[in-house]
């Protein structure tokens, strides 16, 4: 009695499971096709290319696996004919195949990633526009170094409502520095070097359109270098859950063409 195949039992669950799996695959493919990453506005398009290559490979693997899994569940539901599986050990051919196959896919991806990393982390050229972004709970302050191109020193003792970034006005380099709150302006087509420091906790300088995301670590100076390639107004977000007001730690980046940028500087920079 016990050895008789239970042909009909569990048949319904098999069908329901297979349909659910295929449904999840369809839904996720639909959402991936429907939504796209934000419009690219920097020279970091090569990151998008790598992103889409990886998404294509993992996406195809995901669809293949899930569809095959659903089919196996459906085909052998309720212990149907031919359901007894065979077992074997040590198939060197199979092991070589999946090891080499995986390596062939992963090595070029990792290599490309390393090349991109070198590019992203390359030091800023001398003519880069330098701005210091100061993150705090919950706002962004952007310090422009002024005509001397040098950032004045700061002192945490000097933090106040009027002097958000604690700029030491006794420092000669600070005399022409000026600060914008929640607004960053950069010229198009010139490398931007954004130095980052935090006044309190860890924040992250996130420019979705520029494929830029860099942490601000208290007590440390970090930086990102990128080149805006498109004029317009873009969001600057904080990508680190930095406290209760994290959601409103938001600024705007205005990218202008060179002439507008110079006019804007002339109008806004003190003493220019
Ligand atoms: Cu933050």
């Amino acid at each position: 009695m016990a050895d008789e195949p239970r042909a009909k039992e569990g048949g319904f669950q098999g069908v329901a499971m297979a349909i659910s799996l295929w449904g999840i695959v369809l839904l996720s493919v639909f959402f991936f096709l429907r939504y796209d990453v934000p419009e690219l506005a920097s020279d970091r398009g090569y990151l998008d290319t790598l992103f889409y290559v990886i998404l294509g490979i993992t996406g195809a693997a995901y669809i293949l696996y899930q569809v095959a899994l659903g089919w196996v569940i459906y085909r052998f539901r309720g212990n149907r004919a031919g359901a007894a599986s065979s077992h074997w050990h040590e198939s060197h051919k199979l092991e070589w195949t999946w090891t080499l196959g995986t390596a062939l896919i992963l090595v070029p991806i990792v290599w490309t990633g390393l090349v991109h990393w070198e590019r992203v982390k390359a030091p800023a050229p001398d003519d880069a526009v330098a701005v210091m972004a100061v993150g705090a709970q919950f706002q962004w302050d952007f310090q422009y170094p002024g005509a001397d191109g040098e950032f004045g020193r700061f002192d945490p003792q000097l933090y106040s409502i009027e002097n958000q970034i604690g700029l030491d006005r006794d420092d000669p380099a600070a005399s022409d520095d000026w600060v914008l709150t929640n607004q960053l302006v950069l010229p198009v087509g010139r490398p931007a070097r954004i130095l980052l420091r935090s006044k309190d906790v860890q924040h992250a300088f996130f420019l979705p359109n520029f494929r830029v995301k860099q942490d601000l670590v208290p007590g440390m100076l970090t930086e990102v270098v990128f080149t805006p390639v498109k004029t317009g107004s873009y969001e600057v977000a904080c990508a680190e859950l930095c406290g209760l007001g994290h959601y409103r730690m938001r600024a705007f980046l205005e990218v202008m063409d060179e002439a507008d940028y110079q006019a804007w500087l002339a109008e806004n920079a003190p003493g220019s």
Side-chain angles (χ1 to χ4, degrees):
M1 281 293 272
D3 290 342
E4 264 182 39
R6 297 168 297 138
K8 294 280 183 250
E9 261 177 64
F12 169 72
Q13 286 95 323
V15 175
M17 186 70 179
I19 290 175
S20 312
L21 266 180
W22 293 332
I24 290 170
V25 171
L26 268 180
L27 267 179
S28 42
V29 169
F30 168 77
F31 283 117
F32 265 103
L33 292 179
R34 189 179 155 90
Y35 295 104
D36 205 356
V37 292
E39 186 197 7
L40 178 72
S42 80
D43 61 336
R44 291 189 172 185
Y46 53 92
L47 293 180
D48 286 14
T49 309
L50 182 59
F51 172 78
Y52 282 118
V53 167
I54 294 173
L55 185 65
I57 294 169
T58 51
Y62 165 76
I63 293 168
L64 273 175
Y65 281 152
Q66 299 303 319
V67 168
L69 180 61
W71 182 81
V72 169
I73 291 170
Y74 173 81
R75 167 66 182 81
F76 299 108
R77 71 191 183 283
N79 202 10
R80 271 171 168 63
S85 47
S86 51
H87 293 266
W88 73 90
H89 285 282
E90 291 191 32
S91 167
H92 286 172
K93 203 175 147 194
L94 200 61
E95 283 166 21
W96 272 111
T97 308
W98 76 53
T99 305
L100 280 182
T102 313
L104 275 177
I105 296 170
L106 281 183
V107 168
I109 290 178
V110 173
W111 178 257
T112 314
L114 286 172
V115 172
H116 288 354
W117 182 252
E118 281 289 302
R119 211 166 148 185
V120 160
K121 287 289 168 186
D126 289 338
D127 64 337
V129 180
V131 180
M132 174 99 70
V134 184
Q137 290 172 315
F138 300 94
Q139 72 179 40
W140 296 99
D141 287 288
F142 298 101
Q143 177 185 2
Y144 284 76
D148 64 357
E150 250 181 86
F151 294 102
R153 65 178 291 276
F154 72 96
D155 183 348
Q157 305 281 345
L158 297 172
Y159 289 154
S160 69
I161 296 291
E162 299 78 35
N163 188 1
Q164 291 282 348
I165 65 161
L167 193 62
D168 180 2
R169 288 291 177 189
D170 291 338
D171 177 17
S175 62
D176 60 351
D177 289 18
W178 50 294
V179 181
L180 285 175
T181 298
N182 290 334
Q183 195 200 1
L184 172 63
V185 179
L186 292 172
V188 73
R190 266 164 75 190
R193 179 186 185 209
I194 313 294
L195 294 128
L196 302 154
R197 70 176 176 91
S198 168
K199 282 168 68 178
D200 37 47
V201 299
Q202 201 166 322
H203 302 279
F205 181 70
F206 181 30
L207 303 174
N209 301 86
F210 297 77
R211 314 305 186 239
V212 164
K213 193 189 266 175
Q214 174 65 53
D215 276 10
L216 287 70
V217 185
M220 219 181 139
L221 195 63
T222 49
E223 70 169 83
V224 276
V225 180
F226 62 95
T227 305
V229 296
K230 216 170 201 173
T231 57
S233 185
Y234 304 96
E235 186 182 16
V236 180
C238 176
E240 200 74 56
L241 185 53
C242 57
L244 284 177
H246 162 67
Y247 67 93
R248 61 182 153 87
M249 188 165 170
R250 190 174 184 226
F252 284 93
L253 161 56
E254 192 78 32
V255 178
M256 298 178 174
D257 61 41
E258 192 65 36
D260 287 347
Y261 179 70
Q262 293 303 335
W264 176 83
L265 273 184
E267 204 172 299
N268 290 276
S272 61

